[in-house]
């Protein structure tokens, strides 16, 4: 068993999730990949509820990347449909978790109805204290380029780190303390490239639909064994 870092167990401010393994989870059960995503949404809801109970201030999930458009149309359509259903459900039941919704990524690619729904949810939950960032049509490189263009358009000639961070999609969030990736791969896959600078990374072989509150507790226990030095000693 790993030792605790001996420090105080301050609540973790921000946890981000790369929800990988839905497709394999479905395949193992002889189901189409879309079913994996459906169970992925259920896992996401369980984890979000657990994060709320643990007092986590900011939760970020990687729901659809700028590269995911390359997937078969049937799968893309299924993920869009799941998101539409989730958005409609949240609008009906806004106070369920009292999270402030923030969508990370370029919304302009979506049809008017989906975009307006996303924007409405962002507006109507803007006074909620806890933040839920949903990365949807998100890529870390795309975000950095987008931020540069925003700053150029605003006539900024020279930036410091804080100004640059304020032009990112995540402007309203502190950097993640912990990034959890399920599904066994050991990479970041274009997620929160700027924001991950000092995040602790946690990888598990568990496939996302199987990742539950106990697994999150385990990841958090592991987090507390880490010594965060931020380049110091
Ligand atoms: C990665 O698993 C998962 C995705 C690309 C999509 C994740 C989307 C959801 C869980 C639904 C999002 C909706 C809401 C409401 C948050 P994969 O398909 O790459 O799995 P594999 O590596 O096993 O193929």
């Amino acid at each position: 068993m790993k030792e605790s870092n001996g420090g105080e167990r301050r609540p973790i401010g921000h946890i981000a999730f790369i929800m990988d393994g839905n497709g394999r989870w479905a395949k193992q059960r002889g189901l189409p990949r879309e079913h994996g995503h459906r169970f992925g949404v259920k896992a996401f809801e369980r984890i979000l509820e657990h994060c709320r109970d643990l007092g986590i201030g900011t939760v970020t999930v990687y729901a659809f990347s700028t590269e995911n458009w390359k997937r078969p149309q049937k799968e893309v359509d299924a993920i869009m449909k799941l998101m539409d259903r989730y958005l409609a459900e949240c609008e009906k039941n806004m106070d369920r978790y009292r999270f402030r919704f923030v969508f990370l990524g370029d919304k302009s690619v979506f049809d008017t109805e989906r975009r307006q729904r996303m924007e409405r949810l962002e507006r109507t939950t803007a006074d909620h204290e806890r933040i839920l960032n949903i990365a949807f049509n998100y890529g870390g490189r795309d975000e950095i380029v987008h931020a540069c263009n925003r700053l150029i358009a605003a006539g900024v000639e020279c930036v410091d780190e804080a100004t640059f961070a304020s032009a990112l999609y995540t402007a309203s969030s502190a950097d993640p303390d912990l990034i959890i990736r399920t599904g066994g791969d050991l990479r970041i896959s274009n997620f929160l490239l700027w924001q991950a600078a000092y995040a602790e990374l946690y990888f598990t072989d568990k496939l996302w639909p199987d990742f539950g509150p106990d697994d999150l507790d385990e990841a958090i226990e592991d987090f507390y064994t880490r010594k965060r030095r931020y380049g110091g000693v």
Side-chain angles (χ1 to χ4, degrees), residues 125-169:
T125 60
D127 63 336
H128 292 181
E129 199 182 326
R130 273 190 277 267
I131 297 175
L132 169 61
N133 293 310
I134 301 183
F136 203 60
N137 188 33
Y138 172 87
R141 288 183 174 181
D142 179 68
E143 178 182 37
I144 288 169
V145 170
H146 178 263
C148 290
N149 285 325
R150 268 184 77 181
L151 293 163
I152 291 166
V156 175
E157 284 178 6
C158 181
V159 291
D160 55 19
E161 289 189 10
T163 314
F164 190 74
S166 73
L168 295 170
Y169 293 125

Side-chain angles (χ1 to χ4, degrees), residues 19-25 33 36-41 44 61-65 68 71 75 79 82-83 86-87 134 136 183 185 207-208:
M19 309 182 286
D20 197 17
N22 294 345
R24 277 166 286 164
W25 186 91
R33 294 178 56 82
H37 297 311
R38 195 151 60 78
F39 282 88
V41 176
F44 155 72
V61 289
Y62 204 3
F64 194 82
S65 77
N68 286 153
R71 292 186 175 215
E75 184 174 344
I79 295 175
L82 283 171
M83 179 54 77
Y86 180 70
L87 295 176
I134 301 183
F136 203 60
D185 283 329
L207 303 177
W208 176 254

Side-chain angles (χ1 to χ4, degrees), residues 6 33 38 57 92 116 122 127 170 183 188 205 210 217:
R33 294 178 56 82
R38 195 151 60 78
K92 266 197 278 165
Q116 286 182 346
E122 287 183 323
D127 63 336
T170 51
I188 281 291
D205 288 336
D210 287 331
D217 290 343

Side-chain angles (χ1 to χ4, degrees), residues 15-200:
I15 305 185
F17 296 91
I18 301 177
M19 309 182 286
D20 197 17
N22 294 345
R24 277 166 286 164
W25 186 91
K27 194 167 172 220
Q28 283 172 1
R29 287 159 181 78
L31 298 167
R33 294 178 56 82
E34 296 75 48
H35 284 250
H37 297 311
R38 195 151 60 78
F39 282 88
V41 176
K42 288 185 196 301
F44 155 72
E45 290 182 314
R46 276 197 308 272
I47 288 297
L48 188 60
E49 206 163 318
H50 194 52
C51 285
R52 181 206 54 195
D53 295 344
L54 294 172
I56 309 296
T58 304
V59 176
T60 301
V61 289
Y62 204 3
F64 194 82
S65 77
T66 44
E67 288 71 38
N68 286 153
W69 297 105
K70 289 187 262 181
R71 292 186 175 215
Q73 194 57 43
K74 182 165 165 257
E75 184 174 344
V76 171
D77 290 345
I79 295 175
M80 294 300 145
K81 207 161 157 193
L82 283 171
M83 179 54 77
D84 289 341
R85 206 178 296 159
Y86 180 70
L87 295 176
E89 179 65 30
C90 290
E91 274 204 301
K92 266 197 278 165
N93 204 356
M94 205 129 31
D95 284 335
R96 188 151 157 216
Y97 304 117
R98 292 202 61 77
F99 273 96
R100 168 182 174 188
F101 282 77
V102 177
F103 292 92
L104 312 180
D106 178 7
K107 295 190 204 73
S108 70
V109 300
F110 298 122
D111 63 46
T112 312
E113 196 181 340
R114 185 177 299 126
R115 198 176 62 245
Q116 286 182 346
R117 206 165 236 165
M118 292 162 102
E119 288 168 352
R120 214 161 42 233
L121 208 46
E122 287 183 323
R123 255 194 331 271
T124 48
T125 60
D127 63 336
H128 292 181
E129 199 182 326
R130 273 190 277 267
I131 297 175
L132 169 61
N133 293 310
I134 301 183
F136 203 60
N137 188 33
Y138 172 87
R141 288 183 174 181
D142 179 68
E143 178 182 37
I144 288 169
V145 170
H146 178 263
C148 290
N149 285 325
R150 268 184 77 181
L151 293 163
I152 291 166
V156 175
E157 284 178 6
C158 181
V159 291
D160 55 19
E161 289 189 10
T163 314
F164 190 74
S166 73
L168 295 170
Y169 293 125
T170 51
S172 49
S173 298
D175 287 344
D177 298 294
L178 173 62
I179 298 179
I180 296 175
R181 180 176 188 142
T182 58
D185 283 329
L186 307 180
R187 54 177 172 262
I188 281 291
S189 298
N190 204 13
F191 187 48
L192 303 179
L193 295 182
W194 170 277
Q195 301 86 336
Y198 287 104
E200 294 296 328

